[in-house]
Amino acid sequence: MTSPRRTKTSRLIVLALSLSAMTISSTFTQEVMGNRVRYEVGRAIVFFEAGALSTEEMAEFAMLADGGINDIDALLNQNSAGPREGSRITFIVRDDGGISRSFRRTVIIPADRVRRKAAPYLHETVHVLLPMKDDSLWMSEGFASYVQSYVAERIGGYDGYVFSWGGNRNIDRLARRTLNSDLGRAALPYVGGEGQPDNLFQNRREVAEPLYVLAHSFVKFLVDQTSLEKVKSLVQAPNIAGFSEAITGKTIDAWKAVWLTSLSATRPADALNR
């Protein structure tokens, strides 16, 4: 049986790339493996479908992925720089028509979003570096969106929007607009609550988008009112509702009421009692 074509370049490529008006030089290892190209830089291992992106685009994204890992790890876990055992994250960039997603230490990103510089690589990296203990979708997605925007706005990389644009600076405006829609009012009970709406993955725009926008705004509010460290502790708590008062000083329901008031939104009568 003929073994799969595996062309090893195993060479170091030094590329000077312009990122965010800064010229950065970095050393990559590149390996061509049949119909895939493997890049390794620092803590990022990135597989690309051959031909999906140019060499410059692949190298640029590999460097962005590594930078994102280090920036998020430094922000959330006070860890930075230098590969450590078990610390690498694998990114798979491919044109499969799917959505960006993560599992364990692997992130899958559509190649088209990398080409458009709209890949939510920071968002998905947050999921990998700080997995939640509680099964609260609103907190998981809202926190990942908040950290993605925070890092892009204050540290480096770009904000590959999931359902919102304008980052943390604009999310409250989007939340106000969302709350004035039927779709937003339908999503509101799940923000700060349990479970997730039906058809979340099948109907992304009508179901997922309002939930993600509202969750992002609520998490930003929690960070502004308490601290990033306290919200991070809440993310890691075995039960968010049960630990919120001890960690942040208020129950989630109490915080939700204040958040809605801050947005000057009318609260549905059952929004806090689901």
Side-chain angles (χ1 to χ4, degrees):
M1 180 176 180
T2 304
S3 60
R5 178 176 174 269
R6 180 184 175 95
T7 304
K8 275 195 174 184
T9 61
S10 297
R11 65 184 184 273
L12 295 180
I13 302 175
V14 180
L15 296 173
L17 298 173
S18 177
L19 296 177
S20 302
M22 295 189 303
T23 300
I24 304 173
S25 294
S26 189
T27 301
F28 296 81
T29 60
Q30 182 203 62
E31 186 178 6
V32 179
M33 305 167 63
N35 63 350
R36 298 199 303 176
V37 182
R38 179 185 186 273
Y39 276 75
E40 183 174 337
V41 52
R43 296 171 64 183
I45 298 171
V46 191
F47 291 92
F48 299 92
E49 284 184 340
L53 299 166
S54 69
T55 300
E56 291 76 13
E57 288 171 325
M58 289 189 291
E60 179 180 6
F61 182 73
M63 186 160 60
L64 281 168
D66 178 57
I69 295 169
N70 288 319
D71 291 340
I72 293 169
D73 210 3
L75 178 68
L76 299 181
N77 301 321
Q78 289 75 55
N79 295 320
S80 63
R84 301 184 306 281
E85 187 66 28
S87 72
R88 290 182 172 88
I89 296 177
T90 297
F91 295 80
I92 300 174
V93 179
R94 64 191 187 195
D95 277 319
D96 63 353
I99 63 173
S100 301
R101 55 201 183 275
S102 60
F103 58 96
R104 297 183 182 174
R105 299 195 70 83
T106 298
V107 172
I108 298 176
I109 300 283
D112 176 64
R113 298 206 67 167
V114 175
R115 282 192 292 268
R116 293 187 287 113
K117 292 183 170 56
Y121 71 100
L122 294 173
H123 181 104
E124 299 301 338
T125 297
V126 175
H127 285 317
V128 173
L129 291 177
L130 198 73
M132 287 194 62
K133 294 182 180 179
D134 192 8
D135 185 22
S136 294
L137 180 73
W138 71 271
M139 176 61 89
S140 177
E141 299 302 339
F143 188 76
S145 295
Y146 172 83
V147 172
Q148 168 181 257
S149 295
Y150 183 98
V151 170
E153 290 165 1
R154 303 191 186 195
I155 304 174
Y158 64 74
D159 194 339
Y161 67 92
V162 179
F163 290 113
S164 57
W165 53 270
N168 290 331
R169 304 183 189 93
N170 193 50
I171 191 60
D172 290 340
R173 188 180 74 82
L174 294 180
R176 290 187 191 96
R177 187 176 71 182
T178 300
L179 284 169
N180 286 326
S181 70
D182 290 340
L183 295 174
R185 287 187 285 271
L188 184 58
Y190 296 98
V191 179
E194 298 179 353
Q196 62 190 44
D198 294 335
N199 299 318
L200 181 76
F201 296 101
Q202 295 85 352
N203 198 344
R204 300 293 284 170
R205 286 295 171 188
E206 287 76 15
V207 178
E209 180 173 340
L211 177 61
Y212 278 53
V213 167
L214 295 178
H216 185 169
S217 175
F218 188 25
V219 169
K220 174 182 174 291
F221 178 81
L222 290 173
V223 173
D224 289 346
Q225 296 297 310
T226 60
S227 69
L228 180 61
E229 188 61 30
K230 286 183 178 180
V231 177
K232 173 195 162 187
S233 296
L234 198 56
V235 170
Q236 296 179 299
N239 179 275
I240 288 174
F243 283 79
S244 177
E245 190 167 12
I247 293 172
T248 68
K250 285 187 175 76
T251 65
I252 285 294
D253 284 355
W255 281 123
K256 183 173 180 177
V258 181
W259 165 63
L260 287 170
T261 299
S262 75
L263 294 176
S264 300
T266 301
R267 180 179 52 184
D270 64 342
L272 301 181
N273 300 316
R274 186 178 178 88

